[in-house]
Amino acid sequence: MTDKHPTSFTYRDAGVDIDAGDALVDRIKPLAARTMRAGVMAGIGGFGALFEMPPGLKEPVMVSGTDGVGTKLRLAFDWQCHDTVGIDLVAMSVNDILVQGAEPLFFLDYFSCGKLSVDTAAKVVGGVAKGCELAGCALIGGETAEMPGMYPDGEYDLAGFAVGVVEKSRIIDGKSIAVGDAVLGLASSGAHSNGFSLLRKILTHANARPGQELGGRPLRDVVMAPTRIYVKPVLAALAAHGTAIKGLAHITGGGLLDNVPRILGLGLAARLRRDAWAMPELFAWLQENGGVADAEMHRVFNCGIGMVVVVAADQASAVKTTLEQQGEQVFELGEIVRQEPGAPQTVVV
């Protein structure tokens, strides 16, 4: 056989380096180990990860979420900023399941590339592990796929998957929200992971550079600031105030205008006061340099509000205090009102 076929190909010749993949797993294991929590039975290294349901729940309901980082990755490639997009990946999923009242239990990630750079992948997964630590969930598995010819050199794709649990009687679905309830807002850390197609267009239009200053910080740091993870503060507020918290909305794609209505019943609207919070300098810069209208800003970006909390009016002050004690910056945004005929369910006045 070897005489007739002198050319002998290997997987590495085809562009897949198994040794590099093994090296990455070795780098990942200690990172994942820092995220371990009660319930993990078997994690990274097996064909499947095992997790035991937490004890003490009478009617546990599993809540799952999956997401990516969007075109924020484009800037991660262009600006060589790989350390924090893993935090973004975790945040987008755990914040989503949090709004149901769920505690995130575990997380899995998917990293795919054309040619595996162990250093780059380790930075990305290091961010994933950090995000899991912030959320209190375990990184128990994932997949690293090296697929030659599928991605340009130096680029990769990310996806994440989170699973949490909530007691059935404590699921937050917004059904109890009523006229007169208070609307609180938790400050965002920046643009999070939404609106980056418009954001990048404005950066290009303004001929912006990652090293230029914005508010005394490099633009790179401001734009790429990782998505804030609200899990621990919000779970603490839920534990302290129970049914006083009636609804939670994660402000992602669609901004304030499209996300808040997702938790409102028919005939209800959220009236938010624009002067209730100061728009961070990044958004003011984007609006000025892009000539973006107010309504478009509120529909595309979080504009400084990453999570909305609807709470009974007589408990709003107590909930606000608890969240502030947990390190959140909390704004009293407005109130729930009756929806006017033909009017939207979120109005910023």
Side-chain angles (χ1 to χ4, degrees), residues 154-165:
E155 297 188 8
Y156 52 84
D157 198 12
L158 280 177
F161 183 85
V163 173
V165 67

Side-chain angles (χ1 to χ4, degrees), residues 202 286-293:
I202 296 171
L286 290 169
Q287 184 167 26
E288 178 181 353
N289 284 272
V292 186

Side-chain angles (χ1 to χ4, degrees), residues 108-145:
L108 300 99
D109 68 298
Y110 175 81
F111 178 96
S112 59
C113 59
K115 181 174 177 57
L116 181 61
S117 165
V118 174
D119 287 341
T120 297
K123 289 179 181 179
V124 173
V125 179
V128 173
K130 177 62 175 177
C132 287
E133 289 184 72
L134 293 171
C137 65
L139 176 59
I140 60 173
E143 168 69 4
T144 302

Side-chain angles (χ1 to χ4, degrees), residues 87 90-91 94-95 131-132 134-135 227-233 328:
I87 300 177
V90 175
V94 297
N95 285 342
C132 287
L134 293 171
T227 305
R228 188 165 182 82
I229 293 175
Y230 300 98
V231 172
K232 292 180 180 179
E328 295 301 318

Side-chain angles (χ1 to χ4, degrees), residues 58-317:
K58 296 178 180 179
E59 295 182 285
V61 175
M62 307 298 288
V63 185
S64 63
T66 185
D67 212 333
V69 180
T71 60
K72 190 173 188 176
L73 283 182
R74 180 72 263 164
L75 289 179
F77 307 149
D78 293 345
W79 292 356
Q80 290 296 295
C81 185
H82 306 291
D83 301 86
T84 57
V85 288
I87 300 177
D88 288 305
L89 185 69
V90 175
M92 297 305 290
S93 288
V94 297
N95 285 342
D96 272 357
I97 66 173
L98 172 66
V99 302
Q100 314 289 320
E103 176 189 357
L105 297 176
F106 59 85
F107 188 86
L108 300 99
D109 68 298
Y110 175 81
F111 178 96
S112 59
C113 59
K115 181 174 177 57
L116 181 61
S117 165
V118 174
D119 287 341
T120 297
K123 289 179 181 179
V124 173
V125 179
V128 173
K130 177 62 175 177
C132 287
E133 289 184 72
L134 293 171
C137 65
L139 176 59
I140 60 173
E143 168 69 4
T144 302
E146 191 173 20
M147 301 189 291
M150 294 292 290
Y151 300 92
D153 288 346
E155 297 188 8
Y156 52 84
D157 198 12
L158 280 177
F161 183 85
V163 173
V165 67
V166 61
E167 187 74 73
K168 188 175 183 179
S169 63
R170 304 198 69 173
I171 293 173
I172 299 176
D173 55 16
K175 290 181 179 179
S176 65
I177 294 175
V179 171
D181 287 340
V183 181
L184 306 178
L186 307 187
S188 68
S189 55
H192 286 183
S193 296
N194 298 103
F196 271 79
S197 294
L198 176 57
L199 187 153
R200 291 187 300 109
K201 188 175 184 67
I202 296 171
L203 290 177
T204 300
H205 175 73
N207 196 30
R209 295 291 179 266
Q212 72 184 60
E213 283 198 1
L214 180 62
R217 298 169 58 199
L219 183 64
R220 174 184 184 270
D221 293 350
V222 176
V223 169
M224 297 301 291
T227 305
R228 188 165 182 82
I229 293 175
Y230 300 98
V231 172
K232 292 180 180 179
V234 170
L235 288 178
L238 289 172
H241 303 286
T243 57
I245 297 177
K246 299 183 175 185
L248 295 162
H250 184 201
I251 308 305
T252 56
L256 288 165
L257 298 187
D258 287 353
N259 282 290
V260 177
R262 297 169 67 178
I263 61 171
L264 299 179
L266 294 176
L268 297 177
R271 183 170 61 200
L272 312 181
R273 298 185 305 275
R274 181 58 196 85
D275 62 357
W277 81 99
M279 184 182 292
E281 191 167 2
L282 170 63
F283 299 108
W285 186 91
L286 290 169
Q287 184 167 26
E288 178 181 353
N289 284 272
V292 186
D294 286 347
E296 184 73 358
M297 289 293 297
H298 293 145
R299 192 177 187 191
V300 175
F301 300 112
N302 65 59
C303 293
I305 303 296
M307 182 75 72
V308 162
V309 184
V310 180
V311 60
D314 62 349
Q315 296 293 311
S317 179

